Structures are given as C-alpha cells and as structure tokens.
Amino acid sequence: AGSGKTRVLTYRTAYLIDKGISPDNILLTTFTNKAANEMKERIQRLSNQIDKPLIGTFHSLCARILRIEGKYIGFSEKFSIYDSQDSTDAIKEAMKRANISTKDFKPHSVLATISQAKNQLINELEYLKLARGYFQENVAKIYPIYQRILKENNAVDFDDLILRTIELFEKNPQILQKYQDKFQYILVDEYQDTNQAQYILTKMLSAKWQ
C-alpha cells in the first residue's frame, strides 16, 4: 500500500494517449468503484484528450459486455444483478426446494461457498463431482437449484458476471476476438489481488496483443 501502483497506471495511460494511442483501445480495471472514479479523475487532470479510456471494475466491465453480447448464451439484455441480500434470499429458496433446513446450514455460508467455487470457475455441474464431506455435498444439491432460480428471474449474482463472460468468450471465439481487437492495452490495478476468474478473464482479453 502506498507504493504508487495506481499512480503508475494513470501516468502510463496518459502517456499512451499523448503518444497517439486511441483511448478506445485502452482498458483499465480495478476492484472498487471508488478506485475507478479516482483513476478517471487523475487521468482527466493528466490528459487533455476529450475521449477517455474504459475505466471500471472487473464486474462493471463484464456487466457491460453481457448486456451487449449475453444473448449468445441465453441472457436478456435486461437481466438483473442480485446484491448479497437478493442472493441470500435466493439461497434460502433453493434450500427450501431441496428440503435442506436453514437451521442445519447457514445460508450465507452456503452462498460464500458457491461464491468461492464461481471465483475458481467451478460451475454447478463440476461442483457436484468435486464436493467432499457433508457440508459440500449439501451445497452441491443447493447450487444447481440456486442457479435455476437466478435463471427463472432473469438474474445473475455478482460472481456470475465474470463466470458468464468467460463462458461467453469460450463458446463464441468471434466475440472474444472483437474485445481483444478493441482492448490493445490492458492495465490492471491491484493485479496481485486478482482471483482465478479475474486472472483468466484478463489472460483471454490480452492474448492477442500480449
């Protein structure tokens, strides 16, 4: 902390723009909206260019891509994004449908376990094969029902945003290529904190231009 990582990224972005790189070809990702807004303000001060690069969180980037391209994997562009309370309520409903008592397992613990699985790119079918022990075996029963409830409500949870974008790219190479062509310069703030899903997403986007 305080070593100047964000400063390096903002100065590098301003440098690229001043060298004639189109802001449309630059992507900056970070972890919080606050950090994204801070980077936008810094670049505004450093560069006279009216157009600005795309700056946002991993999740806002993926939400933007899914709103445009999600139809290729069965998403309506008007899908809802569940917050933690919405997701917890959906877990409770899934547990009810699976006849698993919330007295036996805490819904937020189940949700945290599913979240961890999604961040490791483990979907509900794969989790079923990997589950070990009583708790995980019950989560494996809840996970697919939870996903079904999300689909019924045309919704995704926070972790689905990245997971489904990667799925979109894997199933539709031409769409991945579209975003690879667009984002020729990718700068990731707090890169050391990326999880598996964020790392794979970054690797896919940067594969063409390295």
Side-chain angles (χ1 to χ4, degrees), residues 13-115:
T13 303
Y15 171 81
L16 290 170
I17 292 170
D18 289 345
K19 284 289 181 183
I21 302 300
S22 170
D24 281 344
N25 296 135
I26 302 172
L27 168 67
L28 280 90
T29 63
T30 187
F31 285 86
T32 66
N33 291 321
K34 182 182 177 184
N37 290 331
E38 185 182 319
M39 286 201 288
K40 286 176 189 175
E41 289 169 10
R42 288 194 194 187
I43 291 168
Q44 186 89 41
R45 290 197 299 267
L46 290 168
S47 175
N48 296 322
Q49 179 84 15
I50 295 171
D51 294 330
K52 293 292 177 278
L54 181 58
I55 304 172
T57 63
F58 282 102
H59 295 94
S60 67
L61 167 68
C62 290
R64 181 187 292 240
I65 291 172
L66 287 174
R67 295 265 183 228
I68 300 167
E69 318 288 358
K71 58 183 177 286
Y72 293 102
I73 52 169
F75 276 94
S76 155
E77 63 184 26
K78 295 181 179 175
F79 65 82
S80 302
I81 301 171
Y82 274 12
D83 62 19
S84 57
Q85 186 57 57
D86 295 327
S87 298
T88 302
D89 290 342
I91 287 289
K92 289 176 182 175
E93 173 61 25
M95 292 176 72
K96 184 179 176 183
R97 292 188 193 181
N99 293 316
I100 296 171
S101 173
T102 54
K103 292 178 181 176
D104 295 332
F105 303 100
K106 293 178 180 176
H108 73 264
S109 298
V110 173
L111 181 60
T113 303
I114 291 173
S115 173

Side-chain angles (χ1 to χ4, degrees), residues 137-156:
E137 285 166 3
N138 277 275
V139 171
K141 295 174 188 174
I142 298 163
Y143 191 173
I145 301 172
Y146 171 65
Q147 291 304 114
R148 207 175 308 139
I149 290 168
L150 290 174
K151 191 167 186 179
E152 286 168 8
N153 291 283
N154 191 30
V156 296

Side-chain angles (χ1 to χ4, degrees), residues 3 33-34 89 93 102 112 130 133 149 168 181 195 203 208:
S3 62
N33 291 321
K34 182 182 177 184
D89 290 342
E93 173 61 25
T102 54
L130 298 171
I149 290 168
L168 169 73
D181 288 339
N195 61 33
K203 193 173 180 182
K208 181 171 182 178

